Structure formats: C-alpha cells, structure tokens
Amino acid sequence: DSVAASVLLILPRWLLRIDSVTGIIYVKGLVDREEESILKLFVVARDRDPSSRMKSSKVLVTINVTDQNDNAPTLNIQGIGLVKYQDGVTKISEDLPVGTPVALVQVSDWDEGENAVVTCAVDSDVPFQLQPASDQKGKYFLQTTTLLDYESVKNYSIEIVAADSGSPALSSTLSLNVQVTDVNDNAPNFSPATIEVDFPENNYRGQKLLDLVATDPDSGINGQLVYSIIDRFVKRLFEVDANTGEVRVRTVLDREEMDRYVFCVAANHLVLLTFCICADRCLSTVFSSEKGHKNEIIFTCKVL
C-alpha cells in the first residue's frame, strides 16, 4: 500500500518541512542552536488507497541541534567599588596599592562545550592584569601589578582579549582607557641647586634681591607653590612675593651694622631653602637645597 506522510505539528513551524511521498524531513531556514536547541514535530502516515478504510499512524520526531562555533565571546566592563567606569574610561589615583581592582570584566559565550570555554587576558604592555573572581565564573578583576606614578605615565590604553576554544577559535577585543589622577606625593624643589647673589649695601627700600624658583612635578593645586619667610625678625628686613618667589629688601642695609643675614624661605611648606647674605661693600651668598621631604640645607657664605 502507498502511504502519504504529513506533518501534524512542528515546533517551530517555519524551520522544517517533510516530503509527503518519501518522508524525508528538510530544513526550510537557518537553524540557530542559540535560539532553538531542540526541534519537535509529529509526523502522520496515512493510506493512499481511497477504496479502503483510511488508517494512519503518527510519531514524535525530536531533533537535537548540535553546536557550531559561530559566536565570538562578549566582553563587558563595569566599575568596581569607588572606581567608576563610563564611556570606556576609568579614573584611578596614583597612590593605589599594588593588586587593587580597578574594574570588573565579565566574559560570556553563547556557544556550548569547548566552543564556550573562554580565556581572557590583557593584550598590552601595561601594569595591569586580570585575576579570576574566585566564586564567579566568567568574571575577572582588572588589577594593578606595580605602583603607579602620575608624573611618569598619566594614561594607559588597555586591550582586553577574550578567545574561545572552538576550531577555528573566535575572539573579541575591548579597549579600556585608564586615567591616573595626581596626589600630592612630590616635594617642591628649588632650582638651581646653587645660587650666588651679590648685593650692594646702601640700597633703596624695596630693591629686588633675587628670584627664588621652586618646582613641583605634581599637578593642579598639588603643584601650586606658596613662598614665605620663616623668621619673624627677618620679615622686617626682607619680604618675598608669595606667588612669584621674588625677594626684596625692605630696609637699607649697612655692612658696618651687620654683614651677614641668614634666614629661611619655605615653598609650599615642604622644602626649606636657607640662604645667607654677607657684606663687605657688597653682600654675597651661596646656598643650595637638596630635593626631598626632609631637607638638610647646606649653604656657604663668603665676604667679597
């Protein structure tokens, strides 16, 4: 007897069809395991002979869709703790301890099996690395590997690459820009380290003595310097411009009354500069400063 086959029900209907004569099942469209991993259909077989009493039988056909490595891993970056992440940029302070997490990286893959086994790494020569989160699969902490220094490097461009284990392997890349912010970790430094000043006696009041120049590699308010004279007695004789470091004499100097003046000028209250003014018809000073938060000031004063 001839038999005609037909489909009673297909889930989903648009993916499959059956040849009513041969019973061969065909795929009508693209099959995506990530959308439909199991296809089910009832196939009904009926007698073709119209003279006989029509009989039929049906069977449930289940099709398991196997995976192909057709999905690249996806990467997502989020801020962590007080560190914010926005528009591909995160900002961190230069004084972070080594090993501090600065971002949370999440990786996933829609495939399954080996095709979904993903490795993730930093693909650039930067002082950062990925550390797997111990209790969360597919999550990594982006951590610092060394101490950062704003004055050396202010910005890092980090490439994070995720690759699956399929054949051929597929990969994805996500860029992260880390901006290092400044902290006040550098002491001001007077430059040059040695200065010699000749100054005649019988000067006029307000006459300029010299310009003191101190530098600070910090930025913003951390690098702004304020000059001041430490000794209260000397302030009656000399004055320094708080912004420029220009030193002027407030009174008339007389070598016969005093031939040497020693006092300190501070810049930002971190570096002390000691200088000496000596006189023999003119005043001469040689002074030096060593860089550091605690300075031992060495000065030499001679009479010309």
Side-chain angles (χ1 to χ4, degrees):
D1 295 338
S2 60
V3 176
S6 62
V7 175
L8 181 62
L9 176 64
I10 304 178
L11 295 175
R13 295 178 177 275
W14 59 272
L15 274 179
L16 302 174
R17 69 177 180 86
I18 189 169
D19 189 301
S20 61
V21 177
T22 64
I24 298 175
I25 298 175
Y26 294 94
V27 177
K28 294 170 61 176
L30 295 176
V31 178
D32 188 351
R33 186 204 64 83
E34 287 70 45
E35 293 184 1
E36 299 289 343
S37 60
I38 298 177
L39 305 177
K40 293 184 177 181
L41 64 154
F42 283 101
V43 177
V44 179
R46 296 184 177 89
D47 292 332
R48 283 182 176 272
D49 187 357
S51 62
S52 63
R53 185 177 179 180
M54 183 176 294
K55 297 181 180 180
S56 65
S57 179
K58 68 177 181 179
V59 65
L60 173 64
V61 178
T62 301
I63 302 173
N64 295 316
V65 181
T66 59
D67 185 54
Q68 296 291 319
N69 193 28
D70 59 347
N71 291 279
T74 58
L75 282 163
N76 181 54
I77 299 179
Q78 298 178 1
I80 185 169
L82 297 178
V83 181
K84 305 301 181 183
Y85 173 80
Q86 185 176 7
D87 299 328
V89 177
T90 185
K91 297 181 179 181
I92 59 175
S93 176
E94 66 172 324
D95 62 349
L96 288 181
V98 176
T100 300
V102 300
L104 177 64
V105 179
Q106 301 183 74
V107 59
S108 59
D109 195 312
W110 286 101
D111 295 314
E112 66 176 3
E114 286 296 313
N115 296 331
V117 177
V118 179
T119 57
C120 196
V122 174
D123 188 33
S124 46
D125 186 18
V126 291
F128 298 89
Q129 67 178 3
L130 290 175
Q131 183 69 31
S134 58
D135 58 342
Q136 297 179 344
K137 183 179 179 181
K139 293 187 177 182
Y140 300 82
F141 294 121
L142 181 66
Q143 299 178 341
T144 58
T145 58
T146 62
L147 292 174
L148 305 178
D149 185 15
Y150 170 86
E151 288 71 36
S152 298
V153 182
K154 298 177 176 61
N155 188 79
Y156 292 95
S157 180
I158 302 175
E159 296 287 332
I160 299 176
V161 178
D164 61 31
S165 302
S167 181
L170 299 177
S171 64
S172 298
T173 302
L174 191 61
S175 298
L176 169 66
N177 187 273
V178 176
Q179 296 178 358
V180 182
T181 58
D182 185 45
V183 298
N184 193 19
D185 59 346
N186 291 278
N189 184 45
F190 283 96
S191 178
T194 301
I195 302 175
E196 182 173 342
V197 176
D198 296 332
F199 193 78
E201 61 179 346
N202 299 321
N203 58 288
Y204 62 87
R205 290 181 174 83
Q207 186 172 342
K208 178 178 177 180
L209 176 63
L210 79 163
D211 288 310
L212 296 178
V213 179
T215 58
D216 191 321
D218 292 316
S219 67
I221 192 172
N222 295 330
Q224 294 178 4
L225 303 181
V226 178
Y227 299 89
S228 61
I229 295 176
I230 304 300
D231 194 301
R232 291 183 178 180
F233 171 77
V234 175
K235 288 182 179 180
R236 295 182 296 176
L237 305 176
F238 302 91
E239 62 184 2
V240 60
D241 188 294
N243 297 317
T244 65
E246 181 183 82
V247 180
R248 292 182 177 273
V249 182
R250 302 183 65 180
T251 186
V252 178
L253 300 181
D254 186 350
R255 174 191 169 279
E256 285 69 36
E257 291 184 2
M258 181 175 290
D259 63 355
R260 175 173 297 188
Y261 298 91
V262 180
F263 59 94
C264 296
V265 174
N268 207 30
H269 308 292
L270 292 177
V271 176
L272 290 181
L273 176 62
T274 302
F275 68 91
C276 171
I277 303 177
C278 309
D280 178 14
R281 296 189 181 181
C282 69
L283 302 175
S284 176
T285 179
V286 177
F287 55 92
S288 62
S289 171
E290 295 181 359
K291 184 179 180 180
H293 289 277
K294 297 180 180 179
N295 293 280
E296 294 293 333
I297 306 301
I298 303 172
F299 66 92
T300 303
C301 186
K302 62 181 180 179
V303 178
L304 298 182

